[in-house]
Amino acid sequence: MFKSKASKLAGVLLLSASMLLAACGKSDEKTSGTATNGLDQIKERDKIVVGVKYDTRLFGLKNPSTGEVEGFDIDISKELAKEILGDEKKIEFKEVTSKTRIPMLNNGDIDMIVATMTISEERKKEVDFSDVYFDAGQSLLVKKGSPIKSIEDLNKGTKVLAVKGSTSALNIREKAPDTTVLEFENYTEAFTALKSGQGDALTTDDSILYGMADQDSNYQLVGGTFTDEPYGIAVKKGNKELVDAINDALKKMKDNGKYDEIHKKWIKAN
């Protein structure tokens, strides 16, 4: 009887050890694979997952008729997929906002961010950037007839609308410290708030504001630009191989005229 119990105990221990080893083996296989960097992971998967905006006219806007997201950033991303994987269709788009894009990148939900993202020293602490792929500048959007003609007209009692997590919100507080800044989750909410009278002006990059003015001719940009906003494509820190591949693709686009073709298609106002 004792021998039987001992045998059963030994069997249980052996089974448990086998299951543990098997689990460890599966875990190692899942985490290591053959990919050693972001570029290799993309090539193994044979698909790029790109974080883009769904609410930014001309750059990344979901078309309600087709359900497809369209814009400058979308076409640039497709061209990246073509250069890196040989097929512009080997791509998946996931919606990001100014607030969610870096967390989604660092959580591994996306491979890169192509979403009107300004290169800044602060952001370089969290992500790595490609070369500049679009030059923008911060400006103001107001209703036609507004007394606000430039940033000098923003003073105490003026309400300026911005988007959470954007450099625009930081810049406007620095350059117009007396104004009240109201922040919204995305550009659609901010523009809706402007049209409903919740603020006197909306601030972000001129490239994005042109899209809003194109959407509603009752609004216009005023005062020119008061910052430089160079857009970059962001990847997880340490992914030099992926950054190099993106930069090579961007250079090729500019050399062969594809970049100019995409720019003229979407950024008619610039």
Side-chain angles (χ1 to χ4, degrees):
M1 185 175 178
F2 176 79
K3 185 176 180 181
S4 175
K5 286 184 177 180
S7 298
K8 287 181 180 178
L9 179 60
V12 170
L13 291 173
L14 183 60
L15 179 61
S16 299
S18 299
M19 291 173 66
L20 181 60
L21 287 171
C24 289
K26 287 180 180 178
S27 175
D28 290 343
E29 183 182 351
K30 181 179 178 181
T31 55
S32 62
T34 59
T36 57
N37 57 61
L39 180 60
D40 286 344
Q41 290 169 3
I42 288 170
K43 289 181 175 180
E44 270 194 2
R45 189 195 309 129
D46 203 30
K47 180 176 70 174
I48 301 177
V49 183
V50 184
V52 298
K53 289 181 177 175
Y54 280 28
D55 68 337
T56 308
R57 194 175 182 88
L58 304 183
F59 278 81
L61 182 69
K62 191 170 185 179
N63 186 322
S65 300
T66 64
E68 299 294 324
V69 60
E70 303 167 342
F72 181 84
D73 283 347
I74 307 309
D75 285 357
I76 290 291
S77 299
K78 288 178 179 178
E79 207 55 31
L80 288 176
K82 183 178 177 181
E83 294 299 328
I84 294 173
L85 295 176
D87 187 345
E88 69 170 32
K89 294 180 181 179
K90 292 182 176 181
I91 193 166
E92 178 185 346
F93 294 113
K94 288 192 176 183
E95 183 180 10
V96 299
T97 66
S98 296
K99 183 179 178 181
T100 65
R101 57 193 172 188
I102 290 180
M104 285 181 68
L105 179 67
N106 288 331
N107 286 340
D109 297 323
I110 53 179
D111 297 312
M112 62 183 71
I113 301 167
V114 189
T116 63
M117 187 171 182
T118 302
I119 299 170
S120 70
E121 292 305 314
E122 192 65 26
R123 286 174 177 163
K124 284 180 180 178
K125 297 174 184 178
E126 297 184 84
V127 300
D128 285 340
F129 281 104
S130 69
D131 294 336
V132 176
Y133 78 96
F134 188 88
D135 282 303
Q138 189 169 341
S139 189
L140 298 171
L141 184 74
V142 299
K143 191 169 185 178
K144 287 181 177 178
S146 168
I148 297 172
K149 305 300 180 185
S150 72
I151 193 170
E152 283 74 24
D153 297 320
L154 302 181
N155 46 45
K156 191 172 182 180
T158 306
K159 292 181 180 179
V160 179
L161 313 179
V163 169
K164 293 178 182 178
S166 66
T167 54
S168 303
L170 298 173
N171 290 338
I172 202 68
R173 285 189 171 96
E174 178 185 336
K175 295 180 181 297
D178 292 331
T179 195
T180 299
V181 179
L182 304 178
E183 296 185 58
F184 295 83
E185 290 296 330
N186 54 54
Y187 296 111
T188 300
E189 289 185 12
F191 192 30
T192 299
L194 179 67
K195 290 190 286 186
S196 67
Q198 294 181 49
D200 304 295
L202 193 159
T203 188
T204 186
D205 302 343
D206 58 347
S207 52
I208 299 171
L209 296 178
Y210 277 126
M212 295 178 186
D214 181 63
Q215 180 182 344
D216 190 331
S217 60
N218 292 310
Y219 292 83
Q220 64 181 2
L221 281 74
V222 294
T225 59
F226 51 88
T227 67
D228 292 320
E229 304 293 333
Y231 292 170
I233 295 169
V235 303
K236 272 188 178 182
K237 285 197 74 65
N239 272 285
K240 183 181 183 302
E241 294 86 355
L242 184 52
V243 170
D244 289 345
I246 292 170
N247 287 340
D248 289 344
L250 290 173
K251 184 179 185 305
K252 187 172 180 179
M253 281 183 233
K254 291 179 179 180
D255 290 344
N256 64 19
K258 190 65 181 179
Y259 179 90
D260 287 340
E261 180 184 323
I262 295 171
H263 194 282
K264 288 175 184 176
K265 175 183 175 182
W266 294 105
I267 318 299
K268 300 177 181 67
N270 280 7

